[in-house]
């Protein structure tokens, strides 16, 4: 079994207009940089992107927003991305904002074959509009539905030809769940290691969830806010 | 005199108890980490997937893979753990986090909070705030008592989209420490040199003032 492909362009083959994609990362931490560049170059459009954030104006998913390749974002935080906020407020971009834990669980549930579940987050807020509610243990909950994607694109530290993945530090974030929730999952990794060298006790994402693996080249790994001891 | 951001953080740090797992939000709450009292052992959780946040890194040691929920570079303490976002929110939703400290645009005397959107003007997104306020055992809001225009942020009803309802337990502002009770805000302490009258005047929601109100000890 060999899931390794040569580069990002090969990895994203089959992504076409109007598909739903999941893209891992929290802010700019743990984002699949090469894959995003390949998507920008592919001119694919009308995408629905499920991603906690949308990068910054000139990096990460912000690059796809700039070129208006994204029709809809499903995210939890717009934050410091001015172009995202502008497109949201002007109505150019459809945006579904989810509580972050709900978003994470919708993805996890999607990958795990669970169609829906109840959570308390968002009860009594505009997030609850149109959703079924139910009381458990004296507390109100919302029915939330799971998410799956045509392609999930994740970023890992190490991966092997079987698709086993290990993440580094807080660059795991949404990547691990998203890997399980793509019909096709692409893993962009910093290092491809021979099968058998990853410690099976320490594999985060078992290879069964992953269809394509490639080595990301020239990763910038940009930091949004460098903070150091004074 | 009204407290500055660090003063608010310092007062909130007095609420920390030994053995607590604590989630600190972006802004003033992050500063609480600088004032953890001597002998109080707390572990800080960051919802992007870190249990055991350490200090900011030494100069030149910032690591792109190691950030807090505010996307600032941090370090991990010895004994820290990394995990994915679903596990992180299992900690939060499952009630394993003892205390959440977060900022707000508005808070009501019933414990409602709004913190993520100003319709037509600004959308930050709720991030993890809705999950945190819906499930934390104890929630303290860190905020200024009034907005820049001088309007009270402690209200009868929120005017902005809600983050959560009836969830906030305590508010620490630049002027006062206020508990949220069944009967509304209750004044507990005032900032050094700040009068009860000033706090009353700047609190729009129902405020209970009983007996002598001590100054904060910070």
């Amino acid at each position: 079994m060999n899931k390794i492909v040569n580069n990002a362009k090969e990895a994203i083959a089959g992504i076409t207009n109007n598909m739903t994609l999941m893209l891992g990362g929290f802010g700019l931490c743990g984002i699949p940089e090469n894959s995003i560049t390949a998507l920008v170059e592919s001119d694919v459009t009308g995408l629905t992107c499920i991603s906690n954030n949308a990068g910054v104006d000139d990096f990460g998913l912000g690059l796809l927003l700039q070129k208006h390749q994204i029709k809809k974002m499903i995210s939890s935080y717009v934050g410091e991305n001015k172009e995202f906020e502008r497109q949201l407020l002007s109505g150019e971009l459809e945006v579904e904002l989810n509580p972050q834990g709900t978003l994470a669980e919708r993805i996890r549930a999607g990958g795990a074959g669970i169609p829906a579940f109840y959570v308390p987050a968002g009860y009594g807020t505009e997030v609850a509009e149109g959703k079924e509610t139910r009381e458990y243990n004296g507390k109100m909950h919302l029915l939330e539905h799971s998410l799956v994607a045509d392609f999930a694109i994740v970023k890992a530290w190490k991966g092997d030809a079987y698709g086993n993945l290990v993440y580094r530090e807080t660059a795991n974030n949404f990547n691990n769940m998203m890997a399980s929730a793509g019909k096709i999952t692409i893993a962009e990794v910093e290092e491809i290691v021979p099968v058998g060298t990853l410690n099976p006790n320490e594999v985060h994402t078992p290879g069964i969830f992953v269809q394509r693996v490639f080595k990301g080249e020239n990763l910038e790994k940009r930091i949004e806010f460098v903070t150091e001891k004074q | 005199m009204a407290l500055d951001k660090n003063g608010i953080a310092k007062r909130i740090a007095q609420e920390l108890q030994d053995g607590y797992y604590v989630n600190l939000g972006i802004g003033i709450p992050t500063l609480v980490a600088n004032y953890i009292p001597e002998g109080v052992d707390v572990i800080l959780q960051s919802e992007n997937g870190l249990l055991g946040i350490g200090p900011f890194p030494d100069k030149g040691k910032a690591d792109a893979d190691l950030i807090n929920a505010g996307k600032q570079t941090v370090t991990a303490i010895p004994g820290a753990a990394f995990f994915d976002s679903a596990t992180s929110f299992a900690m939060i939703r499952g009630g394993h986090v003892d205390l959440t400290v977060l900022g707000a645009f508005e808070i009501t005397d019933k414990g409602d909070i709004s913190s993520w959107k100003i319709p037509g003007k600004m959308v930050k997104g709720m991030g993890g705030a809705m999950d945190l306020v819906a499930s934390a055992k104890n929630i303290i809001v860190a905020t200024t008592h009034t907005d820049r225009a001088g309007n009270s942020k402690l209200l009868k009803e929120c005017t902005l989209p809600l983050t959560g309802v009836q969830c906030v337990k305590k508010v620490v502002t630049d002027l006062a420490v206020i508990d949220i009770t069944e009967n509304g805000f209750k004044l507990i302490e005032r900032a050094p040199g700040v009068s009860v009258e000033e706090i009353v005047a700047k609190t729009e929601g129902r405020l209970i003032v009983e007996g002598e109100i001590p100054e904060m000890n910070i």
Side-chain angles (χ1 to χ4, degrees), chain A residues 6-173:
Chain A
N6 289 316
N7 52 43
K9 196 177 170 196
E10 274 186 43
I12 67 159
I15 296 181
T16 55
N17 293 348
N18 305 312
M19 277 188 168
T20 296
L21 310 182
M22 285 182 185
L23 294 112
F26 185 99
L28 300 178
C29 181
I31 60 170
E33 294 180 23
N34 284 207
S35 304
I36 291 168
T37 303
L39 287 169
V40 171
E41 286 168 358
S42 78
D43 288 326
V44 65
T45 187
L47 298 172
T48 294
C49 291
I50 301 165
S51 180
N52 187 54
N53 315 78
V56 294
D57 286 340
D58 63 345
F59 198 59
L61 282 187
L63 298 171
L64 287 170
L65 282 175
Q66 267 182 19
K67 279 186 68 189
H68 292 87
Q69 290 171 273
I70 301 175
K71 179 181 70 182
K72 180 179 180 182
M73 286 294 309
I74 301 176
S75 304
S76 88
Y77 195 71
V78 180
E80 288 67 39
N81 188 325
K82 288 192 190 69
E83 180 62 11
F84 188 5
E85 188 172 10
R86 190 195 65 73
Q87 289 190 21
L88 192 171
L89 290 169
S90 71
E92 287 165 58
L93 178 72
E94 205 184 320
V95 179
E96 183 189 317
L97 287 171
N98 285 206
Q100 194 173 120
T102 298
L103 181 62
E105 192 63 15
R106 290 180 74 193
I107 296 163
R108 195 197 70 82
I114 297 167
F117 54 90
Y118 283 96
V119 286
Y123 178 77
T125 76
E126 65 179 55
V127 164
E129 281 167 21
K131 287 177 186 161
E132 286 178 39
T133 59
R134 189 161 168 179
E135 187 181 324
Y136 288 99
N137 305 320
K139 192 166 171 171
M140 292 306 294
H141 292 71
L142 302 179
L143 183 67
E144 294 284 359
H145 290 83
S146 63
L147 291 168
V148 291
D150 296 305
F151 281 79
I153 309 177
V154 304
K155 157 79 197 322
W157 180 27
K158 293 177 185 174
D160 65 21
Y162 283 5
N164 294 308
L165 304 177
V166 173
Y167 306 96
R168 187 169 176 271
E169 299 173 340
T170 59
N172 181 340
N173 54 64

Side-chain angles (χ1 to χ4, degrees), chain B residues 5-6 11-12 16 21-22 30 40 54 67 84 104 116 120 142-143 146 173 181-182 185 189:
Chain B
K5 287 178 179 181
N6 286 297
R11 177 59 190 83
I12 290 173
L16 302 175
Y21 288 97
V22 181
T30 304
V40 174
I67 62 169
D84 66 40
W116 66 280
T143 180
T146 57
T173 76
T181 69
E182 282 180 9
F185 293 126
E189 293 173 14

Side-chain angles (χ1 to χ4, degrees), chain A residues 26-30 52-53 55 75-80 85 88-89 97-105 108 117-127 139 155 168-174 176-177 190 204 221-229, chain B residues 26 47-50 55-74 82-87 89-90 93 116-136 161-165:
Chain A
F26 185 99
L28 300 178
C29 181
N52 187 54
N53 315 78
S75 304
S76 88
Y77 195 71
V78 180
E80 288 67 39
E85 188 172 10
L88 192 171
L89 290 169
L97 287 171
N98 285 206
Q100 194 173 120
T102 298
L103 181 62
E105 192 63 15
R108 195 197 70 82
F117 54 90
Y118 283 96
V119 286
Y123 178 77
T125 76
E126 65 179 55
V127 164
K139 192 166 171 171
K155 157 79 197 322
R168 187 169 176 271
E169 299 173 340
T170 59
N172 181 340
N173 54 64
F174 279 80
N176 188 40
M177 296 94 65
E190 292 183 37
H204 291 122
K221 295 182 76 169
R222 193 188 291 186
I223 297 173
E224 212 162 330
F225 303 111
V226 176
T227 44
E228 294 171 327
K229 263 187 201 153
Chain B
I26 298 166
E47 64 264 28
N48 57 314
L50 168 56
F56 290 135
D58 289 331
K59 222 162 178 50
K61 295 279 174 159
D63 178 346
D65 290 333
L66 186 41
I67 62 169
N68 64 17
K71 297 177 275 187
Q72 298 171 307
T73 48
V74 292
F82 300 115
F83 36 84
D84 66 40
S85 300
T87 304
F89 282 91
R93 199 184 305 103
W116 66 280
K117 180 179 179 184
I118 301 173
K121 282 189 190 156
M122 187 267 271
V123 186
K124 290 163 76 75
M126 63 289 282
M130 283 192 180
D131 313 88
L132 283 158
V133 300
S135 299
L162 292 164
T163 306
V165 292

